[in-house]
Amino acid sequence: MITLIQKYWVHLTLLLLSSIATLSLWPAAYLPSVPGTDKTHHFIAYAALILPTALKQPKYYLAIVVGFITFSGAIELIQPYVNRYGEWLDMVANTLGLLCGWLFAKVMLYFFQKEA
């Protein structure tokens, strides 16, 4: 499973970026009701976003992570222009999601490499 994610990490990352951008910029009145809080959704989305990249650890890994954080901030700045609310606490939840997703990938790699 990990090797499959590592093989298609770019495709998965682009799919997740597109999904996050679409859902984050879609007018709030048309979004379906989903269990959990707004901050939980942000946390999970960005944890999932970092996972393929953290498992692959490409050459410019840190630049990609900074790009994800920048992307998160840009989304929050754009949201007021598309009838949504941009909140800095959302960016905090996004960054914490990135951190926890990275830690989860490290744990996965530790146990996967231990078995190999």
Side-chain angles (χ1 to χ4, degrees):
M1 177 72 159
I2 290 177
T3 55
L4 189 63
I5 293 171
Q6 289 171 329
K7 181 177 180 180
Y8 295 106
W9 75 276
V10 171
H11 302 88
L12 291 168
T13 300
L14 292 175
L15 177 66
L16 288 162
L17 278 170
S18 301
S19 299
I20 290 170
T22 300
L23 291 171
S24 296
L25 298 175
W26 201 268
Y30 300 105
L31 289 177
S33 178
V34 199
T37 67
D38 175 55
K39 304 304 178 257
T40 305
H41 301 154
H42 283 267
F43 180 87
I44 292 170
Y46 281 83
L49 175 62
I50 191 102
L51 194 63
T53 306
L55 288 173
K56 178 64 177 176
Q57 296 180 353
K59 185 176 181 179
Y60 298 108
Y61 177 64
L62 289 177
I64 293 170
V65 172
V66 169
F68 290 161
I69 294 169
T70 304
F71 171 80
S72 168
I75 291 289
E76 295 306 317
L77 291 172
I78 294 169
Q79 279 184 329
Y81 297 101
V82 293
N83 201 20
R84 294 289 295 268
Y85 300 102
E87 298 178 36
W88 289 110
L89 286 178
D90 287 347
M91 190 170 168
V92 171
N94 298 344
T95 304
L96 288 173
L98 290 170
L99 177 64
C100 288
W102 174 79
L103 287 171
F104 183 65
K106 291 296 182 186
V107 169
M108 288 175 65
L109 288 171
Y110 174 79
F111 286 109
F112 178 74
Q113 291 173 350
K114 194 173 187 177
E115 292 176 5

